[in-house]
Amino acid sequence: MFEFAAHTFANNRANGDKGDSLTLSINARAITVAPGVSVAAAIAMAGSIVTRRSVGGAARAPLCGMGVCQECRVTIDGRPHQLSCQTLCADGMHVQTGALERAA
Amino acid sequence: MSYYDVLVIGAGPAGLAAAHAACAGGVKVGIVDDNPLAGGQIWRGGPDQQTDPRAQSLWNTLRDAPNVTFLPQTRVLYSPEPGQLRVQTAAASDTLRFGHLILATGARELLLPFPGWTLPGVTGAGGLQALAKGGYPLRGKRVVVAGSGPLLLAVAATLKLKGAHIVAIIEQAATPAMARFAAGLLATPSKIAQALRLAAQLKDVPYLRDSYVRAAHGDGTLQSVLVQRGKGRGLETLQCDYLACGYGLIPNVELAQALGCATASGGAGTATVVEADHWQQTSVPGIYCAGEGTGVGGVDLALVEGRIAGLSATGQIVPTHADFGQRARWRKFAAGLARAFALRPELATLAGDDTIVCRCEDVCHGELRTHTTWRCAKLQTRCGMGPCQGRICGGATEVLYGWRPDAVRMPISPARIDTIIA
Ligand SMILES: Cc1cc2nc3c(=O)[nH]c(=O)nc-3n(C[C@H](O)[C@H](O)[C@H](O)COP(=O)(O)OP(=O)(O)OC[C@H]3O[C@@H](n4cnc5c(N)ncnc54)[C@H](O)[C@@H]3O)c2cc1C
Ligand code: FES
């Protein structure tokens, strides 16, 4: 019933074997990165490190870099609350940050 | 639902060493980690990419072993019943069954609040290192590395290698403590070599002892930090693009606690650790713990503890005197480190009334300081009730107010509804 995306050692290098660059979109803007780059890094490369807005509307960016603080949450391919520090970029991925949202 | 004779949680040095030792026994081994690649904190980016030959050798064996399965990007959330763990990936969820369980969940950074610490550009020290290893663009960026402990040197060296300009390293510990620590290194020669290597890489970087960051400033993003220099030397402003600030490590004990494993702490100012016996077994039979979870001790201790756990869990009673001797030596090293870098009391006084302490729920110091316990503060302010579930503010409130979290809430990380009801 359940399918695990990456299950084996062969898949471990995730995008590693797919060539030397991949293109994704950050807030509808295309960006090309090397394989093995995290979504958090791609967001920073796209110009603003902001990933989300706090309850009070302040801009926040990655803090712990290791999947603990949840400050790096973004929407990836329509799925909200994904940790951008623990997700590798994939070709054709769509990332939406909270950078453009207004203070509450 | 799949079954593993030995299930290892965490693919850092401890988990890889445990899986390596266990798989030699011929049993079915599973390794779970929430990152896309194995390696944990120190070998982030994959064990096969490291210069440490131990990383490559462990990984090559595991990769080629027919009885080992690696489950990356898989996060353990809770245990629905004994012998089972509920896990979640980005897209799916599953229940894993196990005979023996080895917890090698590592540690996280202790991050303390100060005015401006929520500004984009302020990160943990190991936090920015981890982000950099994931490709975070730091070339030409000015970075202040601050906090406490030898990790600051490793972080600065990594960031420099990635092209960052390290403005300064700011260590809160005073000089005498550092000198004692340096003398203690004589008992562990491999650490001296490491320290000298780092010193050479960082020889042009100012290292300010007896100093700490009081505040971070910036309009929208970080622009400068205010540094308190040792007694009587006053304040200094440093311009920077990033502040990488961490005050040492705290063991990740939540999963162990959720499974009923006993924890211990040496009292105020000391971390809560998972209790493990001579064989690395916890108070719950069949559940082992290795690495930073049993107490922060670095990669060498993590490796030997992992090996002992893997051998014990598979009944290969060959952990030798050499293993136990090594473990004792590295534990002593870790204890010396903790003493040398004990936190100064001023660090608990930096937050102002309007400084946010709980970043998930925007709860300020002024709202929290009037409460007497963690539970009471949680109920009245929602502190610690957000997605990080007190992982960040819990360490902070312990230092600021002396609170200890009372119980672990399930699931231990945010879970999708379908993960829980399936
Ligand atoms: C941010 C950071 C950076 C560090 N950098 C260095 C360094 O440069 N040099 C150095 O000597 N030491 C460094 N350390 C210290 C480091 O912790 C140890 O040296 C060593 O990595 C410990 O090994 P370990 O196997 O015990 O834990 P770790 O290496 O931390 O491995 C634990 C693994 O378990 C995973 N995990 C935890 N909980 C779950 C869960 N519920 N579900 C699934 N997976 C889970 C984690 O994501 C992690 O990959 C760093 C520590 C931190 C926190
Ligand atoms: S930066 Fe903390 S969870 Fe991603």
Side-chain angles (χ1 to χ4, degrees), chain A residues 20-24 30-34 45:
Chain A
D20 23 340
S21 76
L22 38 92
T23 300
L24 66 160
I31 177 163
T32 300
V33 301
M45 289 172 188

mmCIF file of all heavy atoms in Angstrom, chain A residues 20-24 30-34 45:
data_model
loop_
_atom_site.group_PDB
_atom_site.id
_atom_site.type_symbol
_atom_site.label_atom_id
_atom_site.label_comp_id
_atom_site.label_asym_id
_atom_site.label_seq_id
_atom_site.Cartn_x
_atom_site.Cartn_y
_atom_site.Cartn_z
ATOM 1 N N ASP A 20 24.847 16.952 -14.546
ATOM 2 C CA ASP A 20 25.514 17.885 -13.658
ATOM 3 C C ASP A 20 24.700 19.112 -13.283
ATOM 4 O O ASP A 20 25.180 19.974 -12.587
ATOM 5 C CB ASP A 20 26.900 18.280 -14.192
ATOM 6 C CG ASP A 20 27.008 18.088 -15.688
ATOM 7 O OD1 ASP A 20 26.182 17.326 -16.210
ATOM 8 O OD2 ASP A 20 27.902 18.660 -16.322
ATOM 9 N N SER A 21 23.462 19.233 -13.740
ATOM 10 C CA SER A 21 22.661 20.330 -13.230
ATOM 11 C C SER A 21 21.183 19.986 -13.308
ATOM 12 O O SER A 21 20.771 19.110 -14.070
ATOM 13 C CB SER A 21 22.944 21.608 -14.009
ATOM 14 O OG SER A 21 22.316 21.548 -15.257
ATOM 15 N N LEU A 22 20.393 20.654 -12.482
ATOM 16 C CA LEU A 22 18.954 20.465 -12.542
ATOM 17 C C LEU A 22 18.284 21.803 -12.304
ATOM 18 O O LEU A 22 18.843 22.697 -11.687
ATOM 19 C CB LEU A 22 18.501 19.401 -11.544
ATOM 20 C CG LEU A 22 19.187 19.353 -10.189
ATOM 21 C CD1 LEU A 22 18.417 20.203 -9.222
ATOM 22 C CD2 LEU A 22 19.273 17.931 -9.711
ATOM 23 N N THR A 23 17.072 21.919 -12.815
ATOM 24 C CA THR A 23 16.376 23.199 -12.750
ATOM 25 C C THR A 23 15.083 23.039 -11.967
ATOM 26 O O THR A 23 14.345 22.078 -12.159
ATOM 27 C CB THR A 23 16.081 23.706 -14.179
ATOM 28 O OG1 THR A 23 17.332 23.857 -14.853
ATOM 29 C CG2 THR A 23 15.381 25.056 -14.155
ATOM 30 N N LEU A 24 14.872 23.973 -11.055
ATOM 31 C CA LEU A 24 13.642 23.974 -10.274
ATOM 32 C C LEU A 24 13.124 25.397 -10.218
ATOM 33 O O LEU A 24 13.806 26.318 -10.665
ATOM 34 C CB LEU A 24 13.884 23.398 -8.877
ATOM 35 C CG LEU A 24 14.792 24.154 -7.918
ATOM 36 C CD1 LEU A 24 14.507 23.712 -6.495
ATOM 37 C CD2 LEU A 24 16.274 23.902 -8.236
ATOM 38 N N ALA A 30 12.777 30.419 -12.140
ATOM 39 C CA ALA A 30 13.601 29.239 -12.406
ATOM 40 C C ALA A 30 15.025 29.443 -11.901
ATOM 41 O O ALA A 30 15.582 30.542 -11.988
ATOM 42 C CB ALA A 30 13.614 28.950 -13.901
ATOM 43 N N ILE A 31 15.595 28.374 -11.364
ATOM 44 C CA ILE A 31 16.985 28.430 -10.928
ATOM 45 C C ILE A 31 17.634 27.073 -11.205
ATOM 46 O O ILE A 31 16.988 26.041 -11.060
ATOM 47 C CB ILE A 31 17.102 28.835 -9.440
ATOM 48 C CG1 ILE A 31 18.563 28.818 -9.004
ATOM 49 C CG2 ILE A 31 16.283 27.951 -8.522
ATOM 50 C CD1 ILE A 31 18.815 29.576 -7.730
ATOM 51 N N THR A 32 18.892 27.132 -11.642
ATOM 52 C CA THR A 32 19.609 25.904 -11.967
ATOM 53 C C THR A 32 20.689 25.661 -10.918
ATOM 54 O O THR A 32 21.442 26.577 -10.585
ATOM 55 C CB THR A 32 20.227 26.026 -13.370
ATOM 56 O OG1 THR A 32 19.164 26.231 -14.302
ATOM 57 C CG2 THR A 32 20.972 24.754 -13.757
ATOM 58 N N VAL A 33 20.714 24.463 -10.383
ATOM 59 C CA VAL A 33 21.688 24.138 -9.327
ATOM 60 C C VAL A 33 22.370 22.808 -9.641
ATOM 61 O O VAL A 33 21.925 22.047 -10.501
ATOM 62 C CB VAL A 33 21.016 24.040 -7.935
ATOM 63 C CG1 VAL A 33 20.323 25.330 -7.558
ATOM 64 C CG2 VAL A 33 20.033 22.869 -7.881
ATOM 65 N N ALA A 34 23.450 22.547 -8.911
ATOM 66 C CA ALA A 34 24.153 21.270 -9.056
ATOM 67 C C ALA A 34 23.407 20.191 -8.272
ATOM 68 O O ALA A 34 22.702 20.501 -7.312
ATOM 69 C CB ALA A 34 25.573 21.415 -8.531
ATOM 70 N N MET A 45 20.247 30.851 -2.948
ATOM 71 C CA MET A 45 20.855 31.204 -4.239
ATOM 72 C C MET A 45 19.908 32.074 -5.062
ATOM 73 O O MET A 45 20.341 32.915 -5.852
ATOM 74 C CB MET A 45 21.171 29.942 -5.044
ATOM 75 C CG MET A 45 22.312 29.140 -4.495
ATOM 76 S SD MET A 45 22.391 27.586 -5.426
ATOM 77 C CE MET A 45 23.626 26.716 -4.480
#
